Amino acid sequence: MSGPRCPQCAQPCVSPRLLPCLHSLCEPCLRRLGPPEGPPGAARPVLCPVCDAELSLPAGGVGQLPPDCLAGSRGRAAAGCDLCADGAAAGRCLTCGLRLCRFCCRAHRRQKKTASHAVTELENTKDCSQARKPLLCPSHPTEELQLFCEQCDQPVCRDCVLGRHRQHPCDFTGNVIHRHGDTLRELLKSSQQHMDTLEDVLSQVDEMGSAVRSRAEAVATEICLFARGYVKAIEEHRDRLLKQLEYLKVQKENLLHLQKAQLQQLLLDMRTGVEFTEHLLMSGSDVEILVTKGMVSSRLTKLNSIAYSTHPSVDDRIQFSPHERAGQCCGYEVFGAILNKVVDPARCTLHGEDLHSARQNQLSSFTLLCKDTTGERMGRGGEAVWVTITHKDKMDCAVKPTVCDNGDGTYCISYNPEEPGLYAVCVCVKGQHVQGSPFTLLVKHKFREHQGVFHCCTFCSSGGQKAARCACGGTMPGGYQGCGHGHKGHPGCHHWSCCGQVKESSECLCGPPSDTSQRSLLRTVAL
């Protein structure tokens, strides 16, 4: 009779045990996995030989892994008879635990030594599982696992309940199987939904791969049609474009292949977990489900938490522009290029009057011109532009700039500084400084309307004498009457201000200015 074989050594399984990835290996192979070194009681990392998943063996070693109780029932339609090894098992002796075919069942009942044995029929795989030999406690080999410790989350025997699990809440396996089975069914349902999503995404990836190849072929056809107008020069230009196109196609396909491989591996892991859980719930006994419940739950939970993209990682946008200038080829100017310009931050330039100086509380702006690696203007927007404006003396003082994409390769950067002083300005494209960045920006104080008292006119007919009386009848501060040179005057005849500017106001009511006072004014202005 041939039994299940270990996927590692291809020999009949000897004491098969379950790994956290739900693959089953025989105990001798498990003991040979991974490095033997390590401190006593520490978990040992190993690689599953089936799926290459990185796992950790329990601190207690291989013996702490749950046994694979269903290893013998997976992969075959029916078990064979334990006596004749010819017929399929149709019943089981509950006394001696043997699987029997129909002929041996009848013989078992007729024999004198076994006539008193209870033989039950195996109607389905579930009944077969229930009728298997009872699982015995590893701590008390003569006792059957009939109870379940809720605190330790493991099946136990009666002696365990009287010993280490005395104060723990325990119940019979038949009473708790429904609750724990429902938990596994919910996880199974979630995993099945993920499998459907993964299959849909893989279908989209395959379709996108076909779209990329179809689009690449279409662009290749356009390139070939365009190249027919020239002889040698255009043929060489065509080959150059095709090589560039092939490079872009390979790049996109490589990204799609990588995503596909990752999704396929995740789907394979999901399918393994789902198939194992389905078989466990359909064919496993109550105790068998509870024995593996913790590991199955952990595996399905881990698989369900893995993040994956539900869309292809690339698109099929590959464009060819037949009117784009492509430079010289064999002495001829050629046209046609694949639009794959890449911005070069080192060639991007900054322009504008407000680039290095600005005024406090006034909106200012400058322009960023993006260029490619050849120094040509990009001609289109969409680049990642990052701008910071930070005060050099006040680290907590920064200006929040606004970047406006004009869509033609230029970007308008506007800002409104609230504090005067020197600022450090950084302008980056795709994380790299542009030409001239970083640079210093000087923010000057804002224009303020003069709030002081203006000097009275000094070019009237009196020549600025203190004793002169102004015809307007005004009185200056300090008790002086009329126009006095250097005294602070009153509004009304202000032609000269303390700001050094000639004000446009009404004519002085003191009379026309004298030549002496006019020359005095000119000297004052010159000073």
Side-chain angles (χ1 to χ4, degrees):
M1 178 180 63
S2 61
R5 293 184 177 271
C6 173
Q8 175 73 357
C9 63
Q11 299 297 322
C13 274
V14 178
S15 300
R17 293 187 178 274
L18 273 179
L19 289 170
C21 60
L22 304 186
H23 288 123
S24 175
L25 274 74
C26 65
E27 188 168 335
C29 290
L30 284 172
R31 295 190 182 279
R32 291 192 293 267
L33 284 181
E37 300 82 6
R44 203 157 43 94
V46 296
L47 288 179
C48 174
V50 180
C51 65
D52 289 334
E54 185 175 352
L55 312 169
S56 294
L57 293 181
V62 174
Q64 297 299 318
L65 290 173
D68 188 1
C69 307
L70 302 178
S73 63
R74 287 197 302 272
R76 60 187 183 188
C81 178
D82 288 339
L83 293 181
C84 65
D86 294 332
R92 176 178 288 277
C93 178
L94 300 181
T95 304
C96 56
L98 295 175
R99 291 190 297 266
L100 306 172
C101 64
R102 295 189 183 279
F103 177 79
C104 292
C105 282
R106 292 191 295 269
H108 207 67
R109 294 188 181 100
R110 288 196 303 269
Q111 291 180 3
K112 185 176 181 180
K113 292 183 179 181
T114 58
S116 61
H117 289 192
V119 179
T120 182
E121 298 291 332
L122 301 181
E123 297 180 355
N124 51 47
T125 57
K126 185 71 173 179
D127 293 336
C128 179
S129 174
Q130 297 284 3
R132 277 195 284 271
K133 289 183 179 180
L135 294 178
L136 302 179
C137 178
S139 302
H140 309 93
T142 60
E143 292 294 328
E144 181 182 351
L145 295 174
Q146 295 179 334
L147 300 164
F148 185 78
C149 177
E150 295 288 352
Q151 180 172 333
C152 300
D153 196 30
Q154 66 178 27
V156 295
C157 68
R158 291 178 300 175
D159 289 350
C160 292
V161 173
L162 297 176
R164 292 187 299 112
H165 301 271
R166 176 183 297 273
Q167 303 297 330
H168 297 179
C170 297
D171 200 350
F172 287 99
T173 57
N175 297 337
V176 300
I177 184 61
H178 299 290
R179 175 161 50 84
H180 293 283
D182 290 342
T183 301
L184 286 180
R185 291 185 183 92
E186 289 297 324
L187 286 171
L188 175 64
K189 183 178 178 181
S190 177
S191 298
Q192 290 171 334
Q193 293 175 350
H194 282 290
M195 286 181 60
D196 294 338
T197 304
L198 286 169
E199 290 174 349
D200 291 340
V201 176
L202 283 171
S203 177
Q204 294 180 29
V205 170
D206 290 334
E207 292 176 359
M208 183 56 66
S210 299
V212 169
R213 290 188 292 271
S214 299
R215 184 58 184 161
E217 293 172 359
V219 173
T221 302
E222 292 180 20
I223 294 172
C224 292
L225 290 174
F226 170 73
R228 290 177 183 174
Y230 296 90
V231 189
K232 183 178 180 180
I234 298 304
E235 288 177 351
E236 292 185 7
H237 180 51
R238 177 195 59 193
D239 296 338
R240 184 173 60 190
L241 290 173
L242 289 175
K243 184 176 180 180
Q244 184 181 359
L245 175 64
E246 181 67 18
Y247 175 77
L248 292 177
K249 184 186 74 170
V250 168
Q251 276 189 324
K252 289 179 178 286
E253 286 183 332
N254 286 342
L255 291 175
L256 289 175
H257 288 329
L258 177 60
Q259 184 186 20
K260 183 177 180 179
Q262 294 172 343
L263 292 175
Q264 284 177 333
Q265 182 60 50
L266 181 57
L267 178 60
L268 180 61
D269 294 341
M270 285 282 190
R271 185 176 286 115
T272 299
V274 168
E275 291 174 356
F276 181 89
T277 308
E278 288 177 339
H279 184 71
L280 175 65
L281 294 174
M282 290 179 58
S283 305
S285 66
D286 297 347
V287 176
E288 291 166 348
I289 294 176
L290 294 175
V291 166
T292 57
K293 185 266 302 180
M295 184 174 294
V296 174
S297 299
S298 175
R299 178 60 173 171
L300 293 182
T301 301
K302 180 179 179 181
L303 291 175
N304 293 339
S305 64
I306 296 177
Y308 54 88
S309 174
T310 57
H311 302 284
S313 57
V314 299
D315 53 39
D316 61 341
R317 289 184 294 178
I318 303 177
Q319 295 181 348
F320 171 68
S321 176
H323 304 293
E324 190 85 5
R325 291 182 179 272
Q328 296 287 324
C329 183
C330 295
Y332 294 89
E333 185 178 10
V334 292
F335 293 82
I338 297 176
L339 298 181
N340 62 336
K341 276 188 174 184
V342 179
V343 66
D344 185 358
R347 294 181 178 271
C348 298
T349 55
L350 299 169
H351 308 273
E353 296 180 357
D354 300 332
L355 186 60
H356 295 287
S357 63
R359 188 69 67 172
Q360 180 186 7
N361 290 332
Q362 287 190 2
L363 184 64
S364 305
S365 64
F366 56 90
T367 302
L368 168 65
L369 175 60
C370 287
K371 299 179 182 180
D372 62 7
T373 54
T374 63
E376 296 183 0
R377 181 170 173 170
M378 287 296 294
R380 62 178 184 273
E383 303 296 341
V385 179
W386 177 70
V387 182
T388 60
I389 303 177
T390 307
H391 202 288
K392 285 190 173 184
D393 298 328
K394 302 178 181 179
M395 300 306 296
D396 58 342
C397 179
V399 179
K400 185 177 181 181
T402 301
V403 180
C404 178
D405 188 349
N406 297 324
D408 57 357
T410 63
Y411 300 81
C412 180
I413 302 170
S414 56
Y415 60 96
N416 189 354
E418 296 181 357
E419 294 289 337
L422 292 177
Y423 286 78
V425 183
C426 296
V427 180
C428 298
V429 175
K430 290 187 175 181
Q432 300 181 30
H433 286 281
V434 302
Q435 190 177 124
S437 175
F439 60 91
T440 301
L441 168 68
L442 174 61
V443 176
K444 303 177 183 178
H445 287 278
K446 64 180 180 179
F447 288 113
R448 295 179 297 174
E449 184 178 355
H450 183 66
Q451 302 295 328
V453 180
F454 296 115
H455 289 285
C456 186
C457 57
T458 59
F459 52 92
C460 61
S461 57
S462 68
Q465 296 181 10
K466 296 180 180 180
R469 184 178 182 83
C470 184
C472 64
T475 302
M476 294 183 293
Y480 291 103
Q481 300 270 332
C483 295
H485 177 67
H487 290 284
K488 297 179 179 180
H490 59 85
C493 56
H494 294 168
H495 289 267
W496 175 254
S497 72
C498 65
C499 297
Q501 298 179 353
V502 177
K503 299 295 182 179
E504 295 181 358
S505 60
S506 58
E507 294 182 357
C508 182
L509 301 180
C510 304
S514 62
D515 294 339
T516 304
S517 60
Q518 184 67 38
R519 287 193 297 269
S520 175
L521 173 64
L522 294 178
R523 285 195 302 269
T524 306
V525 173
L527 292 175

